[in-house]
Amino acid sequence: MLSNISIISGKSSENLARKLSKKIKANLVRSEIRVFADGESKITLNGKLSKKKSVVVQSIYPPVDTNLIQALSLISKAREVSSQVIAVIPYMGYARQDREFLPGEIVTMKVIGKLFKGAGASEVIAVDIHSLIGFKYFTIKTKNLTAIPDLVQYFKKLSLKNPLIVSPDQGGKKRAQEFAQEFGSEYIALEKKRDRKTGKVKIQTKNVNVLGRDLILVDDMISTGGSIVKATQFLKKQKCNRVYVACTHALLMNDARNKIMKAGVTKIVSANTIPGKTSIVDVSNTIAKAII
Ligand code: R5P
């Protein structure tokens, strides 16, 4: 028997939406998208929506603004029929713009909060949002799930030598701690500095004792790969054994994957919040538990 929930599959999260609909035995409503030459999206929904509850699944990775407007349009359409609309945004784009780092910078997460409410979402669910500060600007219900237990399950199957969990920066210390606790190992956090104007990163930590150990670098996301490359180069200099990367959102822009592999990383493992070659860890179960 199908549940009384419609899963609306956005174009950016088709596989995840399909998996989710199977897990909770919900009706899957696919969206057909035509992007015109000028960049506008024309969206058609194929199927009937539940009057009770619709769940829109759409990650906001590049093209970020296109995927955002598609998510908002799907939410708006769902609201015309369903009394409850949950927006599942596995990768919440714009979440790094949650503070005025330099004078005059616009905190885009404030705008995003207004847009989701205005479109008609009753609740927004993200997976490992960059920081919870972003959700503070939302006036509707929000939930942040974590892919860490799913990622840990993958790493538990590997035979690693004296493993150590490493965060490339102090901002990710809590994440590394959570991963280490779940995995059953120690963790450390490096000191990373990012130039706010150029975006370039450098590792400021001087020495760490990682001699001969297998390391798992844990981060919420990889964009240009700069943070992971710098951390790996530093850790390799400190004579560690293998370096694995575990991250939730692998944006891997341009040649980031090559740069990371060239720096000496053995494997990048990410969640399917963003589809791609490294996205081998499925989070549909984690999302399913949050929406029923
Ligand atoms: C930063 O605080 C984040 O947790 C990531 O480390 C960062 O966004 C990754 O970006 P990139 O791959 O461009 O260094």
Side-chain angles (χ1 to χ4, degrees):
M1 244 264 291
L2 281 181
S3 65
N4 200 2
I5 303 176
S6 301
I7 300 286
I8 303 176
S9 158
K11 202 73 194 157
S12 69
S13 296
E14 281 181 324
N15 279 337
L16 194 49
R18 192 174 28 81
K19 284 196 162 91
L20 198 57
S21 70
K22 278 196 181 149
K23 292 250 151 73
I24 63 167
K25 296 190 174 52
N27 175 35
L28 180 67
V29 179
R30 290 194 174 83
S31 53
E32 232 174 72
I33 312 279
R34 220 175 118 201
V35 179
F36 292 118
D38 59 4
E40 285 179 10
S41 302
K42 169 104 189 142
I43 311 169
T44 312
L45 274 189
N46 288 324
K48 249 183 114 187
L49 299 180
S50 155
K51 286 203 172 119
K52 195 174 160 230
K53 183 156 142 181
S54 279
V55 179
V56 171
V57 190
Q58 168 90 337
S59 260
I60 302 178
Y61 57 81
V64 171
D65 293 340
T66 300
N67 284 333
L68 171 64
I69 196 78
Q70 289 179 7
L72 296 168
S73 305
L74 293 170
I75 292 164
S76 172
K77 181 69 192 169
R79 199 69 179 93
E80 287 173 15
V81 182
S82 312
S83 52
Q84 191 191 4
V85 178
I86 301 181
V88 172
I89 313 294
Y91 169 64
M92 176 60 84
Y94 281 110
R96 284 179 295 179
Q97 299 188 39
D98 59 1
R99 271 162 276 187
E100 190 178 333
F101 293 102
L102 294 175
E105 279 181 2
I106 290 168
V107 181
T108 309
M109 276 309 272
K110 287 188 187 172
V111 185
I112 301 286
K114 289 180 198 162
L115 289 172
F116 275 99
K117 186 181 180 186
S122 332
E123 180 178 4
V124 177
I125 300 180
V127 181
D128 289 323
I129 186 168
H130 176 67
S131 121
L132 283 171
I133 296 172
F135 270 163
K136 281 202 185 142
Y137 309 114
F138 286 49
T139 52
I140 48 174
K141 209 173 147 196
T142 56
K143 208 180 274 168
N144 182 45
L145 310 175
T146 178
I148 289 177
D150 296 315
L151 288 164
V152 166
Q153 282 317 309
Y154 177 89
F155 282 92
K156 276 192 173 162
K157 289 186 203 129
L158 305 182
S159 5
L160 300 179
K161 193 177 160 199
N162 196 9
L164 176 70
I165 311 306
V166 185
S167 167
D169 51 44
Q170 292 293 312
K173 195 172 177 172
K174 211 173 142 260
R175 187 176 306 117
Q177 184 187 21
E178 267 174 53
F179 194 108
Q181 246 165 28
E182 188 91 21
F183 186 67
S185 68
E186 301 163 312
Y187 75 96
I188 56 168
L190 306 179
E191 297 264 359
K192 176 182 93 179
K193 191 156 179 359
R194 187 184 288 275
D195 184 313
R196 289 270 160 221
K197 288 223 163 86
T198 64
K200 289 237 157 59
V201 293
K202 61 177 184 221
I203 300 295
Q204 291 188 311
T205 306
K206 291 279 174 264
N207 291 302
V208 283
N209 188 2
V210 292
L211 188 72
R213 297 182 80 164
D214 279 338
L215 308 179
I216 306 174
L217 264 172
V218 176
D219 213 341
D220 59 329
M221 60 187 287
I222 305 174
S223 178
T224 64
S227 306
I228 295 296
V229 167
K230 291 286 178 203
T232 305
Q233 287 168 343
F234 168 76
L235 294 162
K236 286 277 174 184
K237 269 197 198 137
Q238 306 280 314
K239 306 238 176 315
C240 67
N241 196 35
R242 291 175 295 184
V243 176
Y244 286 86
V245 174
C247 82
T248 307
H249 315 293
L251 287 164
L252 293 170
M253 301 313 297
N254 306 319
D255 59 344
R257 188 160 174 257
N258 282 344
K259 285 197 289 190
I260 291 171
M261 299 317 280
K262 239 169 108 185
V265 164
T266 300
K267 193 171 180 139
I268 307 169
V269 177
S270 62
N272 59 351
T273 53
I274 296 177
K277 279 190 186 148
T278 63
S279 308
I280 50 183
V281 171
D282 178 30
V283 289
S284 61
N285 223 9
T286 300
I287 297 174
K289 282 187 231 155
I291 58 174
I292 45 175

